Amino acid sequence: EESQNKVNVVFGASSQAVSDFAKTAASDLGIARAEALEAAGNFGNMLNTVGLLPAETAKMSNELVQLAADMASFNNQDPSEMLQKLASGLAGEAEPLRRFGVLLSENEVKLEAVRMGLAGTGQALTEAQKVQARYSLILKQSTVQHGDFARTSGGMANSMRILRAQLTDAAATVGAELLPVLVPLVKQLGEALPDAVKKVMPWVKDLVAGFSWFVETKP
């Protein structure tokens, strides 16, 4: 629920494209729906600094989630960790993606920005230009890994990823059905807790006093 709310706020009118993409993430990517939504929302937050339209940032965020699944499959990594590494790379950390064939050195980013026409040679880059250049480099340098999850989805590793994601989605579905009952219950417990503490405190004080007396009088 919270991940969906983040997507709605980050992408606005284009949030439906991300929501639809996440609905099949378990079977198509081996990533649970909530995790796909959360990751896309995080990517969208960073991409919003570029000044692109929400529709474009939604598309780019979906592509990064897809890429995380493909790179995790290709390199036999956990999809959750690969999502974090891609987010780190997009934010400017070069090391997390280096061993997966993606080089995001400052010089490479500057060259890519020039190739993309974002800046002139020797010109200082804005953070938005850096994000665009990093995104472009990530996609270009991981081409050989694109589509690997689909190619190997019948194997044991990806079959297990799909199963785990589907189980997580099933648990979330059951939880969503219980929300109308659980939310009022939690609120009632929160309202009743202060009074319960007040009633228990005299007993706690007596217990502490008795324990202190025992310690002080013990030979």
Side-chain angles (χ1 to χ4, degrees), residues 131-167:
V131 170
Q132 283 183 282
R134 290 174 197 137
Y135 171 80
S136 178
L137 284 172
I138 288 170
L139 290 187
K140 284 182 179 180
Q141 296 180 4
S142 62
T143 302
V144 70
Q145 304 176 62
H146 295 183
D148 192 78
F149 187 90
R151 288 193 297 269
T152 59
S153 60
M156 178 58 74
N158 283 340
S159 294
M160 289 301 297
R161 290 186 179 112
I162 290 171
L163 178 59
R164 284 194 293 268
Q166 289 175 331
L167 288 173

Side-chain angles (χ1 to χ4, degrees), residues 75-132:
N75 297 286
N76 195 29
Q77 297 290 307
D78 184 280
S80 299
E81 293 181 5
M82 194 56 68
L83 284 167
Q84 294 175 1
K85 292 180 189 301
L86 284 174
S88 297
L90 197 64
E93 297 179 32
E95 194 57 35
L97 291 174
R98 186 182 299 275
R99 70 186 182 94
F100 303 109
V102 179
L103 303 178
L104 297 173
S105 67
E106 185 177 348
N107 189 55
E108 283 293 326
V109 172
K110 287 180 179 179
L111 289 174
E112 185 64 15
V114 172
R115 284 193 290 265
M116 295 173 68
L118 299 174
T121 303
Q123 182 180 341
L125 302 181
T126 66
E127 189 57 36
Q129 291 168 334
K130 291 178 183 178
V131 170
Q132 283 183 282

